[in-house]
Amino acid sequence: MRRHTGLILALDETDVGQAMAVARSVHDLVDAIKINWPLVLAGGPETITHLSEMVPVICDFKIADIPNTNRLIVEQAVDRGASGVIVHGFPGRDSIQAAVDAANDAEVFVVTEMSHPGGEMFTAPAAEAIAMLAVECGAKGIIAPATRPERIAAMRRLVGDLLILSPGVGAQGGSALQALRAGSDHVIVGRTISGADDPRAAAEAILRSMSD
Amino acid sequence: MRRHTGLILALDETDVGQAMAVARSVHDLVDAIKINWPLVLAGGPETITHLSEMVPVICDFKIADIPNTNRLIVEQAVDRGASGVIVHGFPGRDSIQAAVDAANDAEVFVVTEMSHPGGEMFTAPAAEAIAMLAVECGAKGIIAPATRPERIAAMRRLVGDLLILSPGVGAQGGSALQALRAGSDHVIVGRTISGADDPRAAAEAILRSMSD
């Protein structure tokens, strides 16, 4: 993924027309657009292709299956135009490795922990071990929440020069600047941009906040 | 889900034409057909709808996201015709609950542990706690591997009258009859049927083995 502005748009839309309109309005301001299954179920897998003709697309599919199924999902996402995919680390080393091997030149990012309340029970205790697996399997980076800069800093010490992508900026309360200072490479912003009356102005405001 | 024969077909295909042909040949012999993301990425979400016109469809999406995204994925799968969805338990109580609440009359099955080698590290230690969450959240059932009947028996003691669906029969070495005797309600068979020269004959052979 290019690092142009450090900003990734999370396009958490299920209205394909609205999603494409937001993408067109900010594509030159972001390093990538992150999409999820609801948009693919609404618009079909060709949505990946259409967006990828405009901007690098990261498929945040939180892939969490056995190695062979992980491989098949990654292959198809990349064939459709994804430049990156997000996989869960929780299914273990072989599942992560299968995704990395299947991605070829595309980039694999590993979820090390989940920051919603339910994520505390099982995912938080596994975070450090999963971060090490991400390094060992040759992943391109990990996901660490902007809402908890101390976790970004802890992960940065563990993962060396892997990229850290940080969701949770804006509506969820995280600060882009704090995330970057803690060691994040790209912050991920969703509703603050996609839900704005003027998405481009909202993206520009976030970019200004990142360089304060 | 109807319990007609106790057999569920795992349609682990990425060739849509082949998948539909296999489905047509065995639809009256199975309680449901389980599909995964690779088929949806290959054939589009309308594949769910087309199959559901023939047989109940369980979307084995191993959904593992935050509550709101789980909700959106389940809603769309059900809108497309799914009669059931499979979610991961490791994202925690709120994510499971969001899926159950979004499913309405459709059925939610929870993965309590994964039986591939990598699944030992993080998922196996969480299995019992996740099974209890599945009960408490009102899930319809859980997934437990036919390759390990002792795990099915242990789960049966924990989950009361929830359904237990057991993959791993056939090519992966599990015995349908042993799984049923251990407490499974439905066995899930994939390549042994879908990869056979005569899928219907293969399904009939498995059905005979289940009533031995």
Side-chain angles (χ1 to χ4, degrees):
Chain A
M1 179 170 37
R2 61 186 180 186
R3 192 180 190 294
H4 163 44
T5 60
L7 178 60
I8 295 172
L9 170 65
L11 199 48
D12 295 329
E13 288 286 336
T14 53
D15 179 319
V16 182
Q18 173 69 9
M20 295 302 290
V22 172
R24 274 191 294 272
S25 73
V26 301
H27 68 93
D28 58 316
L29 300 179
V30 299
D31 296 337
I33 286 181
K34 181 176 87 69
I35 64 171
N36 205 320
W37 287 121
L39 184 62
V40 174
L41 284 171
E46 57 272 29
T47 309
I48 303 169
T49 314
H50 295 156
L51 283 167
S52 72
E53 290 161 359
M54 197 187 315
V55 60
V57 173
I58 298 173
C59 287
D60 181 8
F61 287 169
K62 293 193 176 66
I63 305 171
D65 217 309
I66 60 173
N68 190 53
T69 307
N70 271 18
R71 175 180 67 79
L72 291 171
I73 297 172
V74 170
E75 283 175 357
Q76 299 223 16
V78 172
D79 281 353
R80 293 284 189 174
S83 72
V85 294
I86 295 179
V87 307
H88 265 299
F90 207 81
R93 182 190 300 270
D94 48 4
S95 290
I96 300 171
Q97 190 69 61
V100 171
D101 292 347
N104 289 318
D105 293 339
E107 299 174 338
V108 173
F109 302 97
V110 178
V111 177
T112 53
E113 66 190 298
M114 301 181 77
S115 58
H116 69 294
E120 289 298 307
M121 191 166 181
F122 304 112
T123 75
E128 279 75 11
I130 290 174
M132 296 313 300
L133 289 181
V135 173
E136 292 165 18
C137 292
K140 183 70 177 183
I142 64 164
I143 312 297
T147 46
R148 299 176 62 199
E150 76 285 3
R151 295 299 298 158
I152 297 174
M155 286 291 143
R156 173 52 69 207
R157 290 188 290 273
L158 283 176
V159 301
D161 58 0
L162 260 61
L163 295 180
I164 298 182
L165 279 49
S166 297
V169 169
Q172 291 172 61
S175 150
L177 192 61
Q178 282 186 22
L180 295 171
R181 286 181 176 159
S184 181
D185 297 287
H186 302 264
V187 296
I188 303 173
V189 181
R191 283 167 285 171
T192 304
I193 295 173
S194 61
D197 289 337
D198 183 342
R200 187 170 182 89
E204 288 170 336
I206 288 165
L207 288 175
R208 281 193 298 276
S209 81
M210 289 164 65
S211 58
D212 276 351
Chain B
M1 179 169 38
R2 60 186 181 187
R3 193 181 188 293
H4 164 44
T5 61
L7 178 60
I8 294 171
L9 170 65
L11 199 49
D12 294 329
E13 289 285 338
T14 52
D15 180 319
V16 182
Q18 173 70 6
M20 295 302 290
V22 172
R24 274 191 295 271
S25 73
V26 303
H27 68 93
D28 57 317
L29 300 180
V30 300
D31 296 337
I33 286 181
K34 180 178 86 70
I35 64 171
N36 204 322
W37 287 121
L39 184 62
V40 173
L41 284 171
E46 56 271 30
T47 310
I48 303 169
T49 314
H50 295 156
L51 283 167
S52 72
E53 290 161 359
M54 197 189 312
V55 61
V57 173
I58 298 172
C59 287
D60 181 8
F61 288 167
K62 292 191 178 67
I63 304 170
D65 216 309
I66 60 173
N68 191 54
T69 306
N70 271 19
R71 175 180 67 78
L72 291 171
I73 297 172
V74 170
E75 283 175 357
Q76 299 222 18
V78 172
D79 281 352
R80 293 284 189 174
S83 73
V85 294
I86 297 179
V87 307
H88 264 299
F90 72 80
R93 182 190 300 270
D94 48 4
S95 290
I96 300 171
Q97 191 68 61
V100 171
D101 292 346
N104 288 319
D105 294 340
E107 299 174 338
V108 173
F109 303 97
V110 178
V111 177
T112 54
E113 67 190 299
M114 301 180 77
S115 58
H116 69 293
E120 290 297 307
M121 191 166 181
F122 304 113
T123 76
E128 279 76 11
I130 290 174
M132 296 313 300
L133 289 182
V135 173
E136 292 165 17
C137 292
K140 183 71 176 185
I142 64 164
I143 312 296
T147 47
R148 299 178 63 197
E150 77 284 3
R151 294 298 299 158
I152 297 174
M155 285 292 142
R156 173 51 69 207
R157 289 188 290 273
L158 283 177
V159 301
D161 59 0
L162 260 60
L163 295 180
I164 298 182
L165 279 50
S166 297
V169 168
Q172 291 172 61
S175 149
L177 192 59
Q178 281 184 22
L180 295 171
R181 286 180 176 159
S184 181
D185 296 287
H186 301 264
V187 296
I188 303 173
V189 181
R191 283 168 286 171
T192 305
I193 295 172
S194 61
D197 288 338
D198 183 341
R200 187 171 181 88
E204 287 170 337
I206 288 166
L207 289 175
R208 281 192 299 276
S209 81
M210 289 165 63
S211 58
D212 275 352

mmCIF file of all heavy atoms in Angstrom, chain A residues 32 51 62 122 131 138 154 172 175 181:
data_model
loop_
_atom_site.group_PDB
_atom_site.id
_atom_site.type_symbol
_atom_site.label_atom_id
_atom_site.label_comp_id
_atom_site.label_asym_id
_atom_site.label_seq_id
_atom_site.Cartn_x
_atom_site.Cartn_y
_atom_site.Cartn_z
ATOM 1 N N ALA A 32 -5.903 4.031 0.886
ATOM 2 C CA ALA A 32 -6.681 2.850 0.501
ATOM 3 C C ALA A 32 -8.103 3.031 1.011
ATOM 4 O O ALA A 32 -8.367 3.887 1.864
ATOM 5 C CB ALA A 32 -6.076 1.577 1.093
ATOM 6 N N LEU A 51 -14.182 -0.595 -7.239
ATOM 7 C CA LEU A 51 -13.458 0.315 -6.360
ATOM 8 C C LEU A 51 -11.955 0.272 -6.646
ATOM 9 O O LEU A 51 -11.269 1.298 -6.588
ATOM 10 C CB LEU A 51 -13.713 -0.057 -4.894
ATOM 11 C CG LEU A 51 -15.073 0.374 -4.337
ATOM 12 C CD1 LEU A 51 -15.332 -0.320 -3.002
ATOM 13 C CD2 LEU A 51 -15.133 1.893 -4.164
ATOM 14 N N LYS A 62 -12.019 -10.170 7.713
ATOM 15 C CA LYS A 62 -11.772 -10.867 8.993
ATOM 16 C C LYS A 62 -11.862 -12.380 8.803
ATOM 17 O O LYS A 62 -12.568 -13.095 9.513
ATOM 18 C CB LYS A 62 -12.710 -10.363 10.085
ATOM 19 C CG LYS A 62 -12.425 -8.915 10.455
ATOM 20 C CD LYS A 62 -13.102 -8.474 11.734
ATOM 21 C CE LYS A 62 -12.702 -7.050 12.082
ATOM 22 N NZ LYS A 62 -13.192 -6.036 11.090
ATOM 23 N N PHE A 122 -11.790 -13.253 24.896
ATOM 24 C CA PHE A 122 -10.929 -14.255 24.259
ATOM 25 C C PHE A 122 -9.804 -13.633 23.440
ATOM 26 O O PHE A 122 -8.713 -14.185 23.361
ATOM 27 C CB PHE A 122 -11.755 -15.173 23.343
ATOM 28 C CG PHE A 122 -12.895 -15.850 24.056
ATOM 29 C CD1 PHE A 122 -14.207 -15.518 23.765
ATOM 30 C CD2 PHE A 122 -12.654 -16.815 25.024
ATOM 31 C CE1 PHE A 122 -15.271 -16.139 24.410
ATOM 32 C CE2 PHE A 122 -13.709 -17.439 25.682
ATOM 33 C CZ PHE A 122 -15.015 -17.097 25.377
ATOM 34 N N ALA A 131 0.394 -11.353 17.453
ATOM 35 C CA ALA A 131 1.309 -10.398 16.811
ATOM 36 C C ALA A 131 2.609 -11.098 16.407
ATOM 37 O O ALA A 131 3.139 -10.860 15.308
ATOM 38 C CB ALA A 131 1.595 -9.231 17.747
ATOM 39 N N GLY A 138 5.079 -13.712 7.959
ATOM 40 C CA GLY A 138 5.337 -12.806 6.843
ATOM 41 C C GLY A 138 4.168 -11.924 6.464
ATOM 42 O O GLY A 138 4.073 -11.486 5.311
ATOM 43 N N ALA A 154 2.533 -0.805 22.456
ATOM 44 C CA ALA A 154 2.980 -2.142 22.855
ATOM 45 C C ALA A 154 3.174 -3.025 21.627
ATOM 46 O O ALA A 154 4.155 -3.782 21.529
ATOM 47 C CB ALA A 154 1.962 -2.773 23.813
ATOM 48 N N GLN A 172 -15.694 6.727 16.897
ATOM 49 C CA GLN A 172 -15.444 5.829 18.027
ATOM 50 C C GLN A 172 -14.530 6.451 19.089
ATOM 51 O O GLN A 172 -14.210 5.798 20.084
ATOM 52 C CB GLN A 172 -14.849 4.505 17.538
ATOM 53 C CG GLN A 172 -15.843 3.667 16.740
ATOM 54 C CD GLN A 172 -15.173 2.459 16.098
ATOM 55 O OE1 GLN A 172 -14.624 1.602 16.771
ATOM 56 N NE2 GLN A 172 -15.209 2.402 14.776
ATOM 57 N N SER A 175 -8.056 9.324 18.469
ATOM 58 C CA SER A 175 -7.416 10.476 17.862
ATOM 59 C C SER A 175 -6.391 9.999 16.845
ATOM 60 O O SER A 175 -5.519 9.176 17.155
ATOM 61 C CB SER A 175 -6.715 11.306 18.939
ATOM 62 O OG SER A 175 -5.578 11.965 18.404
ATOM 63 N N ARG A 181 1.362 8.967 16.683
ATOM 64 C CA ARG A 181 2.477 9.184 17.624
ATOM 65 C C ARG A 181 2.802 7.917 18.400
ATOM 66 O O ARG A 181 3.950 7.706 18.806
ATOM 67 C CB ARG A 181 2.145 10.331 18.573
ATOM 68 C CG ARG A 181 2.248 11.682 17.893
ATOM 69 C CD ARG A 181 1.947 12.833 18.849
ATOM 70 N NE ARG A 181 2.148 14.113 18.168
ATOM 71 C CZ ARG A 181 1.608 15.263 18.564
ATOM 72 N NH1 ARG A 181 0.821 15.301 19.637
ATOM 73 N NH2 ARG A 181 1.855 16.378 17.900
#
